[in-house]
Amino acid sequence: MTAHPRPDAQVHFGVFFQGVNHTTIWSDPASGSQIDFETFRRVAQTAERGLFDAFFLGEGLRLREQDGKILELDIAGRPDAIAQLAALAGVTRHIGLVATQNTTYNEPADLARRLSGLDLISGGRAGWNAVTTDNAWTGENFRRGGYLDHALRYERAGEFLATARAIWDSWRDGAIATSQQSPSWASADAVSPVERSTDHFQVSITPTLPRSAQGHPVIFQAGDSPTGRDFAAANADVIFSRHGTHFDDALAFANDIRARLRAAGRPEDDIKILPGTQIVLAEKESEVEEKVRWVKNGQYTGQTTLSLAGQVWGRDLSHLDPDGPLPKEDPEHRPISETRGAPRHGQDPHAIAREWRARAEAENLSLRETVIATTERSGFAGTPAQVADELARWVRQGAVDGFNISPYLVPTGLDEIVDWLVPELQERGVYRTEYTGTTLRQHLGLREPLTRRS
């Protein structure tokens, strides 16, 4: 695998406050509320103290279910991202504020205006994680119901982004008066109407908001299929990838994105790649393994283990001992439901059961240990010095530009990273010692928005 050496590259950090998940250890005594504003404020301000680029909110449009019932084990209930980030804009000064918003179940005129509002009130710190959805389960929330055909979801997303950018570009530079002695607040030709007619949208609008200091909200994208990667190469500023576990895999992904950028006529460094990751730190090397075990046992409780296994087996397994053997019966002939997320959706339950049994027999594992062992979580574990060395290697060899960190505990899960890991990175000269810009685009070292380049 060909490395892409960048001896002066800096590590970028974001914090990912997930939308729906079982990996945040909500049951620990140190865990705070998952919905109170105080929790979000604490995490955002800790990240800003650690000079992070962005605070990133996930989205959950529907509560997860299992066997037709609401799953009470997963954390849910995230407030509307734009409303939450607008509140955080008032208690932070530098950190970027990224909202996950769906292109399938929103409309461009409305969402572009709300994102523009966040961008303005935060002084140019807004970002948009533009996600697509094609499943009927989520679509049942909405008036038109059903779902968007899989082949059309990126087509709609592309038209959505083009329309949003046209709305953001509708106000010309220098349109607003800079002095109270000016004859009017805005010039007569300050804004141009936007008229667009596409297969997915009919838009006629005179936008109400001028651009922010960064021009457009920064566009994040997370699709990993070939179509998703092409979409990112044509549209995104940042990729939130799943390639954050193995160095060679991350480097292969980065090289593929660089090739797609060149094919799209963009510089190969025009997108920042920030895989999602979890970081577990211990002060001594002898304590690392125990700390990792504590985190995993907190994430995969007995109830969660039986719920995840029950999805594979297609039946209620709550009567079993999670620390006992795997079920003796074979799975029922039922597909794994998409309502619990994507990791095993579409896979053959019988194939998963065979894999689990082989692993459990070979390593003498309990059901819970098998679920943990076969569910690979991206991340790094070690002492602060060890992890700092590894993160620096990934960035300086061109595998990634940084990491979007999911704390396993909130609101205190970033404290060790900010207090222990950030100073180690700074000592190595691979992490900023102060914010040098005021906008999210500046923090990330991005160029002008695509439609604003000469």
Side-chain angles (χ1 to χ4, degrees):
M1 186 62 60
T2 303
H4 196 83
R6 301 178 300 184
D8 298 322
Q10 299 283 294
V11 175
H12 293 270
F13 276 161
V15 56
F16 180 38
F17 207 119
Q18 297 188 58
V20 180
N21 74 99
H22 68 265
T23 57
T24 304
I25 308 175
W26 60 267
S27 57
D28 188 87
S31 177
S33 167
Q34 300 297 316
I35 55 176
D36 286 354
F37 179 73
E38 177 60 20
T39 297
F40 294 85
R41 181 200 65 78
R42 169 75 185 275
V43 173
Q45 290 184 339
T46 301
E48 187 168 74
R49 180 168 63 84
L51 306 176
F52 279 42
D53 290 50
F55 177 92
F56 190 115
L57 272 181
E59 178 184 63
L61 292 178
R62 188 178 176 95
L63 291 176
R64 292 185 179 177
E65 302 171 10
Q66 187 157 334
D67 300 325
K69 299 178 181 178
I70 298 299
L71 181 74
E72 71 275 18
L73 299 174
D74 280 3
I75 290 171
R78 296 285 179 262
D80 174 74
I82 294 177
Q84 186 76 290
L85 295 175
L88 289 173
V91 294
T92 57
R93 294 184 57 198
H94 298 284
I95 194 165
L97 304 165
V98 183
T100 300
Q101 296 287 290
N102 200 291
T103 59
T104 303
Y105 301 117
N106 279 295
E107 295 297 324
D110 173 62
L111 182 56
R113 182 176 186 273
R114 291 191 289 125
L115 287 166
S116 185
L118 176 62
D119 209 21
L120 280 168
I121 65 172
S122 65
R125 294 188 280 139
W128 171 21
N129 180 33
V131 297
T132 64
T133 299
D134 65 351
N135 66 67
W137 172 68
T138 301
E140 290 174 0
N141 283 359
F142 299 91
R143 184 167 64 90
R144 63 177 176 268
Y147 62 97
L148 187 67
D149 186 87
H150 186 85
L152 296 178
R153 62 183 182 135
Y154 280 114
E155 178 182 299
R156 178 183 169 96
E159 292 181 9
F160 198 119
L161 268 172
T163 303
R165 283 178 164 137
I167 291 170
W168 295 332
D169 283 335
S170 63
W171 280 69
R172 70 172 182 82
D173 294 332
I176 299 175
T178 58
S179 168
Q180 292 178 327
Q181 282 69 50
S182 298
S184 60
W185 179 79
S187 60
D189 59 348
V191 60
S192 300
V194 176
E195 305 278 348
R196 296 184 74 87
S197 178
T198 73
D199 290 342
H200 293 274
F201 305 111
Q202 299 288 327
V203 175
S204 178
I205 180 176
T206 302
T208 59
L209 294 175
R211 286 185 300 276
S212 77
Q214 68 174 350
H216 292 179
V218 173
I219 304 300
F220 288 66
Q221 204 274 335
D224 196 40
S225 67
T227 305
R229 296 185 189 197
D230 282 340
F231 179 82
N235 295 282
D237 298 305
V238 184
I239 291 179
F240 177 30
S241 89
R242 66 182 65 179
H243 300 273
T245 302
H246 305 292
F247 177 84
D248 288 346
D249 172 62
L251 183 57
F253 176 78
N255 285 337
D256 179 70
I257 294 300
R258 292 183 187 109
R260 292 175 194 267
L261 281 167
R262 290 192 297 268
R266 296 175 63 182
E268 66 175 23
D269 63 347
D270 216 28
I271 284 180
K272 302 298 182 184
I273 300 174
L274 305 179
T277 197
Q278 174 184 276
I279 295 177
V280 179
L281 299 173
E283 289 187 277
K284 300 177 181 178
E285 188 172 359
S286 60
E287 299 171 349
V288 173
E289 186 176 344
E290 181 182 351
K291 184 77 167 283
V292 170
R293 187 182 304 112
W294 175 81
V295 171
K296 288 183 176 179
N297 285 335
Q299 293 172 325
Y300 293 87
T301 65
Q303 288 175 295
T304 295
T305 295
L306 295 174
S307 174
L308 292 170
Q311 245 211 331
V312 174
W313 261 261
R315 57 167 66 94
D316 182 4
L317 299 179
S318 60
H319 61 286
L320 295 181
D321 178 3
D323 295 310
L326 274 65
K328 297 179 180 179
E329 307 86 355
D330 287 332
E332 296 183 0
H333 289 277
R334 296 169 60 185
I336 295 176
S337 171
E338 65 193 4
T339 65
R340 288 297 307 278
R344 293 193 175 96
H345 173 53
Q347 296 185 31
D348 177 10
H350 290 84
I352 295 174
R354 286 193 297 271
E355 176 195 351
W356 286 13
R357 284 170 171 160
R359 185 78 176 265
E361 183 177 354
E363 301 179 27
N364 192 28
L365 302 178
S366 68
L367 177 56
R368 173 158 36 179
E369 291 169 335
T370 302
V371 170
I372 291 173
T374 57
T375 307
E376 186 173 56
R377 301 294 304 172
S378 62
F380 299 87
T383 65
Q386 289 172 333
V387 173
D389 286 339
E390 190 66 1
L391 301 191
R393 180 175 79 92
W394 281 52
V395 169
R396 296 233 156 141
Q397 290 298 309
V400 300
D401 293 286
F403 301 88
N404 222 11
I405 300 169
S406 292
Y408 52 81
L409 197 65
V410 296
T412 60
L414 284 185
D415 291 358
E416 292 176 353
I417 292 169
V418 170
D419 295 335
W420 298 353
L421 179 58
V422 166
E424 292 282 351
L425 291 168
Q426 289 170 331
E427 284 186 13
R428 289 158 176 77
V430 295
Y431 196 84
R432 65 167 62 97
T433 56
E434 62 180 351
Y435 287 109
T436 56
T438 60
T439 71
L440 176 55
R441 193 170 294 277
Q442 291 169 335
H443 299 339
L444 289 162
L446 296 170
R447 297 179 175 89
E448 288 266 296
L450 288 172
T451 56
R452 302 289 298 163
R453 299 180 190 180
S454 58

